Amino acid sequence: MLSDRSYVRDGYPREKTSVLTWLICAIVAGFALQIGCYFLWPDGEASLRNELGLSAEALRAGHVWVLFTSSFLHAPNFLFHLGANLLALYFIGRELLPVLGSKRFVGLYTGAILTGALTWLAVHYRTGGSYIGATAGIEALLVVYACFYPHRRVDFLLFFAFPISVKPKHLAIGLLFFELFGLMYFELQQVQLPMGVAIASSAHLGGMFAGWFYFRYFHDVSWYPSTARAETELPRALKRSRKNAPVIPVPTIDMTNPSDVRAEVDRILDKINSHGFSALTADEKRLLDEAKDLLSRH
């Protein structure tokens, strides 16, 4: 039974709260702070946005933190912005977090937020204005998800009403063209939607670029590969010493012993929790797949 497996019992050491949960809570807390300021005193929400929102004036004043704090704020009069971001962050994040691991997930999201903020600044440095929202980071996650699973069928409700079934690669490409259109027609011409909502497509495009750049140049890249071919010829003494170096034996697992299998599965799951699923070797992936059927029979 599933409850017999050691990695689902209460005694198994695992992360109590994921970084995805903390991130969602931080965004909700930022919005709650906005609502509180809006009702507690006049111009409270506007003052908060001036302190934490991204603008060229804030950076000129030395408020570099607005490059990141702006991602925790959303327009109080446009709840669809917040709701869509939280839903997308949850559903995409829970798929990517086991693959990337906590550190890479946070690094990707933070890098996308920074890239989106800098891209928005490049467009609006002279025209002014302010920018808030986490869409740049979420669209970066979407691009990475589309790179991992381009043909996986995804079903969702468009505007929470219309059922849509689409492949991630088509969704990412369609979103790319939508943001390019928004940049050219809405943002550069300073056209606003109803209720004074402005589309920050430049920031969203920056986030999408950060997601593609991460997948293309950083994911699964070993900066210090131990098996890389030497570019220069080694001296003979080093060749002899390498040849005579002791070979570390690879431990074998007795697949007929459930306790040994459980111990190895626990070690592999710890590795996934720390470094992501992509850090596993081919043998570890094969053993994890075989262990599912073996442990289910005990």
Side-chain angles (χ1 to χ4, degrees):
M1 295 178 61
L2 183 64
S3 59
D4 294 332
R5 302 184 186 183
S6 56
Y7 52 85
V8 297
R9 293 198 297 264
D10 293 337
Y12 180 75
R14 56 176 176 245
E15 190 177 5
K16 297 299 182 181
T17 305
S18 69
V19 295
L20 177 61
T21 303
W22 283 115
L23 183 57
I24 291 175
C25 290
I27 294 175
V28 173
F31 185 75
L33 181 61
Q34 287 181 267
I35 297 299
C37 292
Y38 180 82
F39 287 105
L40 286 178
W41 64 82
D43 299 328
E45 196 275 334
S47 300
L48 179 68
R49 186 179 300 195
N50 290 335
E51 291 295 327
L52 302 182
L54 175 62
S55 65
E57 292 77 10
L59 282 183
R60 294 191 191 102
H63 300 169
V64 294
W65 59 81
V66 299
L67 293 170
F68 301 99
T69 56
S70 57
S71 64
F72 297 105
L73 304 181
H74 289 78
N77 58 340
F78 192 49
L79 292 180
F80 176 81
H81 185 205
L82 175 67
N85 277 352
L86 290 179
L87 286 176
L89 177 60
Y90 172 75
F91 286 110
I92 301 175
R94 70 174 187 175
E95 295 289 335
L96 288 182
L97 186 57
V99 179
L100 301 181
S102 298
K103 292 182 179 179
R104 288 194 174 194
F105 183 88
V106 173
L108 168 62
Y109 183 85
T110 305
I113 290 296
L114 178 60
T115 305
L118 294 177
T119 307
W120 183 90
L121 276 174
V123 175
H124 294 272
Y125 192 79
R126 294 193 177 186
T127 59
S130 62
Y131 164 70
I132 57 175
T135 309
I138 295 166
E139 292 194 7
L141 297 178
L142 174 61
V143 169
V144 174
Y145 179 80
C147 292
F148 276 124
Y149 314 108
H151 302 290
R152 177 181 292 182
R153 185 68 61 180
V154 176
D155 300 316
F156 64 96
L157 292 177
L158 182 64
F159 302 114
F160 307 104
F162 306 101
I164 296 293
S165 182
V166 66
K167 292 182 179 180
K169 69 174 184 178
H170 296 154
L171 181 61
I173 293 173
L175 188 60
L176 173 63
F177 282 103
F178 173 80
E179 297 296 359
L180 287 173
F181 174 79
L183 173 65
M184 301 300 297
Y185 180 76
F186 289 102
E187 191 170 2
L188 293 181
Q189 299 188 34
Q190 298 183 352
V191 177
Q192 291 187 339
L193 296 176
M195 297 181 294
V197 176
I199 297 181
S201 294
S202 57
H204 305 166
L205 288 170
M208 296 183 74
F209 172 78
W212 173 85
F213 190 83
Y214 164 81
F215 182 83
R216 177 66 177 82
Y217 294 104
F218 283 90
H219 187 74
D220 279 346
V221 171
S222 178
W223 297 104
Y224 302 99
S226 58
T227 58
R229 182 178 298 177
E231 296 182 358
T232 58
E233 188 70 16
L234 293 176
R236 292 183 179 179
L238 292 179
K239 288 183 178 180
R240 285 198 298 270
S241 62
R242 174 179 290 183
K243 182 177 180 181
N244 298 329
V247 179
I248 301 176
V250 179
T252 58
I253 304 299
D254 183 6
M255 297 299 292
T256 62
N257 190 338
S259 60
D260 289 348
V261 175
R262 288 192 180 96
E264 182 64 10
V265 169
D266 288 346
R267 183 192 67 79
I268 294 175
L269 291 174
D270 280 335
K271 186 175 181 179
I272 294 175
N273 187 52
S274 301
H275 305 289
F277 185 80
S278 60
L280 299 185
T281 64
D283 290 336
E284 289 172 333
K285 294 177 181 178
R286 176 185 53 80
L287 188 146
L288 193 62
D289 186 60
E290 294 177 358
K292 291 189 296 184
D293 297 331
L294 177 64
L295 295 178
S296 63
R297 295 194 296 264
H298 291 81

